[in-house]
């Protein structure tokens, strides 16, 4: 059974940091591109970042560069998202997802692009 389990979400003040984790099982983790996406209430799914199978290549949409850092530990079958200088507009449910191979940026935010999904972890940025 394939599982992606996110953790690390919570409530944080503006300017604060959180580190999300995604524990994977049931598939060959280091064959897959891993990604983080998010969805805020009433808004569309938004791609946050992605990382190649070996961690050497990291991808971010222009709007996410500089504050978010994706990483992975293939020995632990876990992906991470370090989020710094958080803003109220970062409030959303954050999902990790996986697919074989990278794709074009325009498709990164589409649900159908990703083969496996986690259940999500809530992040709330509020004073």
């Amino acid at each position: 059974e394939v599982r992606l389990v996110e953790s690390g979400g919570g409530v944080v003040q503006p300017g604060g940091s959180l580190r999300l984790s995604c524990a994977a099982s049931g598939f060959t983790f280091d064959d897959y591109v891993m990604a983080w996406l998010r969805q805020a209430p009433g808004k569309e799914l938004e791609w946050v970042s992605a990382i190649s199978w070996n961690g050497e290549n990291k991808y971010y949409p222009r709007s996410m560069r500089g504050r978010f850092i994706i990483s992975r530990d293939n020995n632990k079958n876990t992906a991470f998202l370090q989020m710094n200088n958080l803003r109220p507009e970062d409030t959303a449910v954050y999902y990790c997802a996986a697919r074989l191979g990278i794709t074009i940026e325009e498709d990164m935010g589409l649900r159908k692009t990703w083969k496996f999904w986690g259940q999500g972890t809530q992040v709330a940025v509020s004073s």
Side-chain angles (χ1 to χ4, degrees):
E1 178 189 7
V2 171
R3 295 192 71 195
L4 293 175
V5 180
E6 300 96 335
S7 61
V11 180
V12 62
Q13 291 187 342
S17 297
L18 281 175
R19 189 189 195 209
L20 306 183
S21 299
C22 173
S25 60
F27 64 100
T28 306
F29 183 72
D30 54 9
D31 280 350
Y32 282 74
V33 171
M34 297 300 297
W36 290 92
L37 299 95
R38 70 185 185 184
Q39 190 162 25
K43 295 190 175 182
E44 293 185 351
L45 189 66
E46 183 178 28
W47 169 55
V48 175
S49 62
I51 188 168
S52 61
W53 68 273
N54 59 2
E56 289 187 357
N57 297 301
K58 302 177 182 182
Y59 309 89
Y60 305 91
R62 193 177 301 271
S63 61
M64 302 292 175
R65 293 172 190 170
R67 296 190 300 123
F68 292 176
I69 302 170
I70 192 171
S71 61
R72 67 190 294 163
D73 184 340
N74 286 350
N75 291 323
K76 296 182 178 179
N77 287 0
T78 304
F80 304 96
L81 182 67
Q82 177 68 41
M83 304 188 294
N84 301 318
N85 192 21
L86 284 161
R87 305 166 180 168
E89 53 265 39
D90 295 317
T91 295
V93 177
Y94 284 72
Y95 300 92
C96 73
R99 62 170 279 127
L100 285 169
I102 201 67
T103 186
I104 60 175
E105 184 168 339
E106 288 77 5
D107 287 349
M108 290 287 205
L110 301 177
R111 187 167 295 273
K112 66 179 181 179
T113 292
W114 302 95
K115 184 175 183 179
F116 304 135
W117 284 85
Q119 83 290 346
T121 186
Q122 176 72 54
V123 171
V125 184
S126 174
S127 54

